[in-house]
Amino acid sequence: MRSQLGSFVDGVWLGPVGDQIAKAVNPYTEEPFGVASICSAEEVDVAVRSADRALRNGEWPRTPLDERIAIARRVKAGLAARTEEIATLTTSSMGMLYRRALTLGRADELIDMYVDMAHRLSWSYVRSSGDAGALISRRPVGVVAAIVPWNSPIRSAVKKVIPAIIAGCTVVLKPAPETPFEAGVLGEVCRDAGLPPGVLNVVPGDATTGMALVSHRLVRAIVFTGSSAAGSKIWELAAPDFKRLQLELGGKSAAIVLDDVDMGETISHLARGIFTNAGQQCVATSRILAPKARYDEVVAGMVDAAQSLRTGDPFDPSTTLGPLVSERQRTRVLAYIEAGRSEGASIATGGRAPKNETHGWFVEPTVFANVDNAMRIAQEEIFGPVACVIPYDSVAEAVTIANGSDYGLAGAVYSADPMRALRVAQTIEAGVVAINGQALPASAPFGGLKRSGIGREHGIEGYDGFLEYVSYPMPRAMAEELSACPPTSRSS
């Protein structure tokens, strides 16, 4: 298992790791277990130029679609063969429960879905009107900068890299400094699967590395998952060159509990929605909106669910709540808890670092009651195991509260009547609103509204950020001839 990581360019590792390094620290043991380069602007330039050469001078954009898909399938097999290694890296670097890390974020399902969508996508077609016609083709946008977060490192990398390379783009991937090694494994797997040199390059580093990447003149598209503040900065840097943007940003998702729910089943869904991955999920339903008639039931149910969780070694199968990714993140979450207390919310359970743990960056699963939607804990993304239970009088008020946020990434509505839940869900300002906690299928587009970002991942829509339309006007008779007997294309 690789414990040192330099940049990965043209299919080879460049190194050794230099003076500018970041230590990967195990959030449970609090001990370092590896180091990775913090790539400089010069190293980023080398990687981007490698990707540009592979795009302009190589065969990749002109490689038949079936061959690109075959490589994607081999990548899937390569990741499966290294599942335990990748899971160990993820658990060691960010504290994800090992049994969850072993799923690799269902990266295999994502690859299957993108392959299926590639077969369904119209890569070229003919349109006519009046005396004129046109051949319309979709072509790769160019060099893609892909920047992924630490909370689901291999899944985030796969859902950016795979559609980009199937589309014929080349990629420079920057992992988060907390979880750099999974990207290194992906680079090796792609190389071993037959991806030509330069089509995927990896530059570990910090925010400075990322800014150098997104502002590089040869980068034509940026796909990013992270905070809204970082997304705004990326937008600013991308503007002078009109780069294509796909930004999946923060969230403060609301779960509306209607008055007719089966409380036991609903609490189970709500607890998973906020406590999975120690609350370190952009889609976490951290605002729970409960009708006043059943408010005490919701609070009591969430308290029971929180108190049933067991902190400990994330490699231990009996552990149900792992540590936060870093000491800085724990300090941040505890500061939000103190802010909630000072603003008048009541801590129903949790609210501190657990006393039974002698090490590890844990925060107790915390449930706030008597929360007003104007409070900071209800408006700002905490990214920890902190649930805010907010009362409402009417469904109309619940919708107003749910939409009273700068974010619009996800949400949920719970009801014994799924159609009633759907009607309420359709009034929520968010990119994904689940009915009774149903998970989003991989084939459905995923992304947010408002400060939660722009663009979509997954599904056919997930290719939009990697493709440009090109129109070839021609006489109508020629267009009709092409329509009857479409020309062959190496990229379609």
Side-chain angles (χ1 to χ4, degrees), residues 334-350:
L334 290 173
Y336 270 111
I337 292 173
E338 182 56 37
R341 183 186 288 111
S342 67
E343 286 184 306
S346 304
I347 295 179
T349 190

Side-chain angles (χ1 to χ4, degrees), residues 67-431:
E67 291 185 24
R68 299 202 298 264
I69 285 174
I71 289 176
R73 286 176 167 146
R74 291 197 292 272
V75 170
K76 173 189 169 183
L79 291 174
R82 299 178 70 169
T83 292
E84 292 183 0
E85 175 190 359
I86 297 169
T88 299
L89 288 169
T90 299
T91 299
S92 299
S93 59
M94 61 79 56
M96 182 184 292
L97 299 183
Y98 183 66
R99 63 179 177 276
R100 176 179 173 84
L102 282 170
T103 70
L104 303 188
R106 294 187 167 83
D108 56 342
E109 293 181 10
L110 287 176
I111 295 174
D112 286 342
M113 177 273 298
Y114 278 118
V115 165
D116 180 42
M117 294 299 116
H119 286 304
R120 300 185 187 200
L121 190 64
S122 295
W123 295 87
S124 63
Y125 46 92
V126 172
R127 288 181 184 167
S128 299
S129 59
D131 295 332
L135 173 67
I136 301 161
S137 295
R138 305 189 77 183
R139 293 290 181 259
V141 68
V143 177
V144 174
I147 302 178
V148 299
W150 46 261
N151 62 324
S152 185
I154 197 67
R155 176 181 176 85
S156 293
V158 163
K159 69 180 182 177
K160 290 171 172 53
V161 170
I162 293 299
I165 62 176
I166 289 178
C169 297
T170 58
V171 183
V172 180
L173 172 64
K174 194 203 87 68
E178 296 87 351
T179 54
F181 301 107
E182 295 89 338
V185 174
L186 180 59
E188 292 175 345
V189 166
C190 286
R191 177 195 61 195
D192 296 344
L195 197 68
V199 175
L200 174 63
N201 303 288
V202 179
V203 287
D206 57 12
T208 302
T209 307
M211 293 306 113
L213 177 58
V214 301
S215 59
H216 199 290
R217 294 295 301 272
L218 294 178
V219 167
R220 293 307 312 148
I222 302 162
V223 288
F224 169 80
T225 297
S227 71
S228 298
S232 294
K233 183 63 176 177
I234 287 171
W235 194 317
E236 178 184 337
L237 292 172
D241 295 315
F242 299 95
K243 302 179 194 292
R244 180 75 63 84
L245 292 175
Q246 181 177 289
L247 307 176
E248 194 257 283
L249 307 178
K252 194 67 183 177
S253 302
I256 298 178
V257 179
L258 298 182
D259 56 8
D260 61 350
V261 297
D262 176 307
M263 193 58 70
E265 183 179 354
T266 299
I267 291 297
S268 178
H269 283 292
L270 292 172
R272 287 197 297 272
I274 182 57
F275 297 135
T276 296
N277 213 20
Q280 298 171 123
Q281 303 183 99
C282 55
V283 296
T285 42
S286 54
R287 291 186 297 152
I288 299 171
L289 280 52
K292 286 184 177 178
R294 305 193 70 179
Y295 185 78
D296 291 344
E297 288 180 77
V298 173
V299 172
M302 290 302 296
V303 167
D304 288 345
Q307 291 178 350
S308 72
L309 296 173
R310 180 183 182 275
T311 58
D313 184 351
F315 283 100
D316 186 338
S318 67
T319 298
T320 53
L321 188 78
L324 299 181
V325 68
S326 65
E327 184 176 20
R328 180 178 67 177
Q329 184 66 11
R330 181 178 66 176
T331 299
R332 181 177 185 271
V333 171
L334 290 173
Y336 270 111
I337 292 173
E338 182 56 37
R341 183 186 288 111
S342 67
E343 286 184 306
S346 304
I347 295 179
T349 190
R352 61 188 180 184
K355 291 182 178 180
N356 62 310
E357 299 293 349
T358 59
H359 54 78
W361 295 312
F362 293 96
V363 170
E364 290 177 337
T366 300
V367 178
F368 272 107
N370 304 316
V371 177
D372 186 281
N373 198 50
M375 293 177 178
R376 285 184 62 202
I377 56 171
Q379 287 295 314
E380 299 178 19
E381 187 175 39
I382 298 174
F383 227 63
V386 181
C388 300
V389 188
I390 304 172
Y392 70 83
D393 282 308
S394 66
V395 173
E397 183 188 11
V399 171
T400 298
I401 293 171
N403 292 338
S405 171
D406 289 338
Y407 296 104
L409 183 59
V413 182
Y414 295 88
S415 173
D417 179 353
M419 292 306 297
R420 182 188 181 203
L422 176 60
R423 288 192 296 272
V424 175
Q426 289 173 327
T427 67
I428 304 303
E429 297 170 353

